[in-house]
Amino acid sequence: MLYIWDVGGQKTIRSYWRNYFEQTDGLVWVVDSSDLRRLDDCRYELHNLLKEERLSRASLLIFANKQDIQGALSPDEIANAMDNSRRAYTGEGLLEGFD
């Protein structure tokens, strides 16, 4: 059985994220590749989430969204900005971003 939650990233709802961590096997983190101003905030929030005990065994997939916008950071630049030193690239496009 697969449960998917799209919990959004607005600051006002971030405190509710923890309600969705129980039995989480995977986390898909979507980064707006064209919003350079919010990358530091994005990295901070991701790193705080990854400290959660209930997410300790979860796989992480970072989607570099909005690649079609001029000036967007590349997926490698996003990975570097997220300080994701333990990365593995598999499945180019990963079924085109789950369609």
Side-chain angles (χ1 to χ4, degrees), residues 62-82:
I62 299 176
F63 269 137
N65 197 19
K66 300 184 182 177
Q67 287 290 294
D68 57 331
I69 295 177
Q70 186 174 7
L73 295 176
S74 71
D76 282 331
E77 290 171 316
I78 293 293
N80 288 331
M82 295 293 107

Side-chain angles (χ1 to χ4, degrees), residues 4 6 11 14 18 22 27 31 42 50 53 82-83:
I4 298 174
D6 180 358
K11 285 187 178 186
R14 292 178 189 172
R18 284 158 185 76
E22 204 63 44
L27 174 65
V31 177
C42 186
L50 296 177
E53 177 65 29
M82 295 293 107
D83 294 331

